[in-house]
Amino acid sequence: MTGKTSAGIPIVVSGNSGFAEALKKVEFGEFYIVEDFKDANEWAKKIESIRQKERRLRLKEIRQLRTFYEEKYSWESQCQDLVATMSNMVYGII
C-alpha cells in the first residue's frame, strides 16, 4: 500500500490472502477484510458498508490505513532485512 497502490480508493481484500494477514496486524486493517472469501453476500455487505460512507470520510480512512501500513511495513527496512539475511546465508555475516 505504499505510494499510490490504493489510489486513495478504499480496498477490500480476501481473508484468504497474505495481504489480509498483513492488514490484520495494522490498526483498522480488519475493516477491509472479507473473511469468508467464497461468500458473495459477505463481499457485497462489506463493499456496501464502505460505499455508504461519505466520500471524504472514505478517503480519510484509507489514507490513515495507508499511513498505519507504511509505519508497520517499511519497504526500506524489509529490503535491508532481506539483504542482511542473504549476506548471512552466503557469507556467514550477521
Side-chain angles (χ1 to χ4, degrees):
M1 285 186 37
T2 59
K4 297 293 182 194
T5 305
S6 66
I9 300 169
I11 56 168
V12 181
V13 300
S14 168
N16 186 30
S17 68
F19 192 45
E21 291 303 314
L23 281 178
K24 288 176 184 177
K25 298 175 185 175
V26 174
E27 192 172 359
F28 304 123
E30 69 276 359
F31 297 138
Y32 299 93
I33 299 171
V34 176
E35 287 299 335
D36 187 357
F37 65 96
K38 292 181 180 181
D39 184 354
N41 288 327
E42 188 172 341
W43 281 96
K45 286 178 190 174
K46 184 71 73 170
I47 292 167
E48 185 61 25
S49 71
I50 293 170
R51 214 178 127 259
Q52 287 181 355
K53 293 179 183 178
E54 181 182 323
R55 182 177 186 278
R56 181 179 292 165
L57 178 59
R58 289 193 315 252
L59 292 173
K60 181 180 178 181
E61 287 178 353
I62 201 65
R63 280 191 289 266
Q64 286 177 324
L65 178 61
R66 182 184 292 135
T67 299
F68 294 143
Y69 188 89
E70 289 172 346
E71 288 172 358
K72 177 113 178 121
Y73 299 103
S74 161
W75 277 106
E76 184 176 351
S77 66
Q78 288 179 338
C79 288
Q80 289 172 351
D81 291 346
L82 177 61
V83 169
T85 299
M86 292 170 57
S87 292
N88 187 34
M89 291 172 64
V90 173
Y91 303 110
I93 301 171
I94 295 179

